Amino acid sequence: QIRRHVAFHKTFFVSLFPILLLFPKLIPFRPSVLYKIQGHDNDKVNKKDKEKKRTGFNAWIYRVKAFYASPSIKFQNHAFFYILFLVLHAYVVLFEMGESKVWRNGWILLLFAMVLMYMVDEFRQILKNDMMFRHNYFDNSWNRIDAVMYSLYVVGIILWLFGNLYWYSVSRAVLCVNTLFLFTRLLFLSNADQNMGTLLLILKEMSVDFINISILIIIFVLGYGIALVGLIVEPDHFVPSNLVAIFFYPYFQIFGEMHLEDLVQYKVKVNGSEVPLYLSKDVTPIDFTRGTTIVLVAVYMAVVAIGFVNLLIAMFSDTYRKIKDDQINVWKYQRYGICEEYETAALPPPFSVIVILLEISMKAYRCLCSASPVA
């Protein structure tokens, strides 16, 4: 157990250079506490430690093993290498996604290898857990994000490698959209902090409120959008763009983009000259539809911008207050998820492949030993 007052930069440099563990005063921690977390009797372990009296090289090996087995160090190393993976992905997306640079670019091949290692590491965690965890894997929202993230990566890479020019453009779009999921997955690391973890849970609960209020808004938007497009477009034949306009105008009007120039013609011709609509004495059927459009837009903005938006803000405030009152317990629950995630985690990718190969070798060796006949 590493003491809380130890600075982050110390543990980071020690994880990079284990030789620094030869100086116990640099990183004060108690390796025997790890056995207590795993369910062993801590008093017996301390007694065995005193009897064994590790010194010299054995003591250093013991401290290195206990240091890297700490969940906090595992979390720190995984976070660091995941950020490096995000930097690599961003660099490839921004600068290296040329059509002719698939097999000849080392950065792209390195990105593909990193993605493969992360997928293998995820499968390893699934196989090492019990059957209950496998059945409830998708109950965790972060696991669902992982499944979508890796699926998009596989689809994008396959289209990029084996598709034509059209599918290459589709693969670029898929990989670029997948960037959103990659950075969203980075939010999981914020659960280690009390304030950030609480805010993340508040955001998650607010998304439920947003979905509920969005259902009401969509129902109202559909009615308003169909009426609006029917007023501004003279019906003649089927036009697919009209279906897009049903959602296009109402959505951006919520954020203040009214598009009044497209919806209403402010000036009409009177005696060969253009005058404002309200100065025209002659009211035609087209002018009547324009007036109806103005009234419809005004009613829509009053209901949505004032009614639904303020209702959503009130629901957000209520959710924030409920979770903030129980902030400590909420954060402990979030932190437990991180401890459970990194309790059995191996080295971070790409070094996790070493642990996987060792586990496969040990399992194959045991199988061969059990299958060999007894002399």
Side-chain angles (χ1 to χ4, degrees), residues 77-78 81 113-125 128 150 344-360:
N77 294 335
H78 276 76
F81 282 97
M114 288 290 293
V115 173
L116 179 61
M117 292 176 187
Y118 270 103
M119 294 177 63
V120 172
D121 188 68
E122 187 70 20
F123 280 114
R124 174 186 174 275
Q125 292 184 16
K128 286 184 69 67
Y150 295 133
T344 58
L347 295 174
F351 302 105
S352 60
V353 67
I354 301 175
V355 179
I356 295 174
L357 293 177
L358 289 176
E359 291 178 351
I360 295 175

Side-chain angles (χ1 to χ4, degrees), residues 143-160:
N143 292 334
R144 293 196 294 268
I145 293 177
D146 288 339
V148 174
M149 182 175 65
Y150 295 133
S151 299
L152 289 178
Y153 247 125
V154 171
V155 173
I157 291 174
I158 292 176
L159 294 178
W160 192 0

Side-chain angles (χ1 to χ4, degrees), residues 45-93:
V45 173
N46 289 333
K47 185 177 180 180
K48 292 179 180 179
D49 291 341
K50 292 179 181 178
E51 294 175 355
K52 195 169 184 179
K53 293 182 180 181
R54 295 181 177 88
T55 58
F57 183 74
N58 292 332
W60 178 74
I61 292 296
Y62 180 67
R63 287 178 59 85
V64 169
K65 184 178 179 180
F67 180 80
Y68 284 101
S70 173
S72 60
I73 300 302
K74 291 180 182 179
F75 168 79
Q76 174 182 295
N77 294 335
H78 276 76
F80 175 73
F81 282 97
Y82 186 76
I83 293 175
L84 290 182
F85 169 67
L86 290 181
V87 173
L88 176 62
H89 172 85
Y91 177 79
V92 171
V93 168

